[in-house]
Amino acid sequence: MLFRSHAAEATPHYPLVKPVEQNWSFAGPFGTYDKAQLQRGLKVYREACSACHSMNLVAFRSLADLGYSEAQIKAFAAEYTIHDGPNDAGDMFDRPGKPSDHFPAPFPNEEAAAAANGGAAPPDMSLLAKARGVERGFPRFIFDIFTQYAQGGPDYIHSLLTGYDEKPPEGMVIPEGTHFNPFFMSGVSLKMPKPISDGQVTYDDGSPQTVDQYARDVSAFLMWAAEPHLEDRKKTGFRVMVFLLLFGALVYMTKRKVWADVAH
């Protein structure tokens, strides 16, 4: 088991187990997204997550960042039905999706989503990778400043998706209709059952079709969805740091030149 027994603890702290830190291509000051991984993650989202979770803030046209062509994006968007309107007659209507559309929600409203999922509406996944993350505490957060650790969300999502097979500590009561997961950050269990199993999604590139790989790929995809301009931000930050270093050196040399003949 990954955790010690919490049966004797009056007030356990959640998550019972901290997320396992993973190696991500986008980690660090020079990290970049792996487009092949993002494409696999998109496939996992479509086939395993989109039936319950929306991505209301992600437009189809932004999939160009994943390496898809304009024609592929048009074909991809057309696979979805968008409820639009009103038309000239004042009626709502359905039409095929366009690149400018966003991923449609699986439910018409939050109340319907909650009713279909045992009273808990599944969260929108657009910003999930930035909205989720467990505090790492002292002194780790100090080191995070220098390593630019910002992968708390993907680490958490990956751990959560791979943590369903763990058994609860002896004596811990799991509410009926919920599912134990030691990595869940809000309690001992959650409404969502295990969402994915080995072999559920077929990969065309030969990547392992395992829960661990699915979780890794969809976590990376959700990180991109939450921060699609991460690579540009890091490039800009690097240029700013180089500029500041050069500017600081020039200021120091100018100061030395100006004060060189002044008696101290």
Side-chain angles (χ1 to χ4, degrees):
M1 303 225 5
L2 291 175
F3 46 88
R4 60 188 177 86
S5 174
H6 286 257
E9 294 186 11
T11 307
H13 296 282
Y14 303 113
L16 298 180
V17 178
K18 295 289 187 181
V20 180
E21 188 172 341
Q22 304 294 318
N23 293 320
W24 303 102
S25 66
F26 49 82
F30 304 107
T32 59
Y33 287 123
D34 180 343
K35 291 186 178 180
Q37 182 178 49
L38 298 184
Q39 292 184 11
R40 293 194 304 267
L42 170 61
K43 191 169 188 179
V44 174
Y45 166 75
R46 290 189 69 191
E47 299 186 20
C49 308
S50 63
C52 297
H53 294 274
S54 59
M55 289 188 70
N56 295 327
L57 302 180
V58 180
F60 294 126
R61 62 189 173 195
S62 64
L63 297 179
D65 294 345
L66 277 60
Y68 292 108
S69 66
E70 183 177 351
Q72 288 175 314
I73 294 173
K74 287 182 178 179
F76 182 91
E79 295 177 6
Y80 289 83
T81 299
I82 304 298
H83 192 59
D84 201 355
N87 57 19
D88 293 340
D91 300 322
M92 303 298 289
F93 61 94
D94 292 333
R95 60 168 176 79
K98 301 181 294 186
S100 58
D101 291 319
H102 291 67
F103 279 83
F107 302 100
N109 50 61
E110 188 170 347
E111 289 72 20
N117 290 275
D124 181 82
M125 283 187 159
S126 304
L127 302 176
L128 194 67
K130 300 294 287 185
R132 297 291 188 271
V134 177
E135 293 184 1
R136 288 156 66 85
F138 181 84
R140 298 190 71 179
F141 77 89
I142 300 295
F143 296 107
D144 291 345
I145 296 174
F146 298 97
T147 62
Q148 296 189 25
Y149 176 80
Q151 300 82 245
D155 284 342
Y156 172 72
I157 294 170
H158 176 270
S159 292
L160 185 73
L161 292 176
T162 56
Y164 276 92
D165 293 330
E166 293 296 321
K167 302 299 182 183
E170 184 178 352
M172 177 172 284
V173 178
I174 306 303
E176 185 178 357
T178 65
H179 306 270
F180 175 73
N181 193 312
F183 297 102
F184 186 47
M185 64 190 301
S186 301
V188 298
S189 59
L190 67 166
K191 288 279 189 180
M192 182 177 73
K194 183 177 180 178
I196 197 165
S197 303
D198 289 346
Q200 183 173 336
V201 178
T202 301
Y203 283 156
D204 301 323
D205 62 358
S207 296
Q209 297 174 173
T210 62
V211 171
D212 178 75
Q213 188 65 50
Y214 295 150
R216 193 178 305 278
D217 293 341
V218 77
S219 297
F221 171 71
L222 293 178
M223 181 65 179
W224 166 83
E227 194 171 2
H229 303 299
L230 175 143
E231 294 178 355
D232 292 336
R233 174 177 62 79
K234 290 185 176 183
K235 290 177 182 178
T236 301
F238 176 73
R239 291 167 184 159
V240 169
M241 292 303 297
V242 171
F243 168 78
L244 291 176
L245 288 173
L246 293 176
F247 181 72
L250 289 173
V251 169
Y252 175 74
M253 288 188 291
T254 300
K255 178 259 184 186
R256 291 288 301 271
K257 180 68 174 178
V258 170
W259 292 90
D261 298 326
V262 178
H264 295 282

